[in-house]
Amino acid sequence: MATENIRQQHQELTSGITLDVVSASPGGRTAVDGTQADPKSTRGQWSSRLDYIMSMIGYCVGFGNLWRFPYICNRNGGGAFLIPFMIFLVITGLPMFYLEAALGQFSGKGAVQVWNFCPLLKGIGIGCIVQVAICLPYYNILLAWPIYYLVRSCTTVLPWTTCGNWWNTDLCVEDISLLRNMSTNSSAVNGTDTNTAALWRNTTLAHTAVEEFYQYNVLRISNGIHEVGSVQWHLVGCLFASYVIIFLCLFRGVKATGKIVYVTALLPYILLTTILIRCLMLPGSSDGIAYYMKPDFSRLLDIQVWTEACLQVFYSLGPGWGIVVTTSSYNKFTEPTLRDSIILCVASEGTSIFAGFVTFSILGVMAERVGVSVTEVVSSGGAIRDATEGITKTCL
């Protein structure tokens, strides 16, 4: 009787936990008791391991790698920043990434259902979904801007290369190299010592056509936070288009998504490599790269450097959002999770370093054209303006 009671209690405790494993037959997953799973409830899987790798690269490599890392690296000691960055990548980034990937692959469940083994922790999965739902709208705005630029670029003359348009001001200049001439003319006429660096820093003296297109056409910014302004329907349309594109990439399931990522994940590398090669052929690019990688080991004594290195690892890899768990849940049960995690971490952070070379080679070329130091160009801010200006005027 006692043995029977213990067996009954064990069945009650384990009745709510369903753990899938892969069977040797081509039928896919089977339950632990050996019975065949319901075909309607069988979870889809990636067609190949490479599909999963490319999908995760598409997720990990984003604006945190292309925009944030070069700026943070340069601000916190240049090449010396790589030391705390690599340390935190090994002791925090890789273990967390591997933990989430293993959890999703082992369970075959999404970000919420993966916690069925412990209902007390279900709030973690729900929190991930809420977090993604909050951040997705603002992140998609960053996708709407390139769509708008893409549409407006379908003209004979790029609209952000010329002045005289309805959004331009009287201070508009079409080429950043004109700032050097403005400095010379100002000194000759007024007898003042207005150097090029001052003109570059003072945004009230001159605006490039690229900057004014971004501020007064794309954003159509108001005079301040006190002036709300009106709805910008051109951006609303591009935002809607971004949602439609995402839906078309996902609605057919992982089989179709695994093929689409071969384009969406590889194309940025092709473009970045092309831009870097072109910039390296122009004067000033080496100065920008040297400025980017120049180490300042004294900054390693600053706790802020270590803090930002840790934050950048999480910005780049993106653990804690439930995406790694969900994506890995479509893996086959026997996939080498640790090897895949190492490959993805190296690819993601390697892209961050590579993007820094591209960004600062552009800034070096811009500094050469304007006649200022790379420091002045970097400290002026405006990532979109600087990148678009550099690519339009120097690299293409």
Side-chain angles (χ1 to χ4, degrees), residues 147-162:
I147 292 176
Y148 183 71
Y149 272 91
L150 180 64
V151 173
R152 292 304 305 269
S153 65
C154 297
T155 57
T156 305
V157 179
L158 296 177
W160 54 82
T161 59
T162 61

Side-chain angles (χ1 to χ4, degrees), residues 165-180:
N165 304 289
W166 62 265
W167 61 82
N168 293 124
T169 65
D170 296 335
L171 300 175
C172 176
V173 292
E174 295 185 357
D175 195 333
I176 57 175
S177 61
L178 295 177
L179 293 175
R180 180 181 298 179

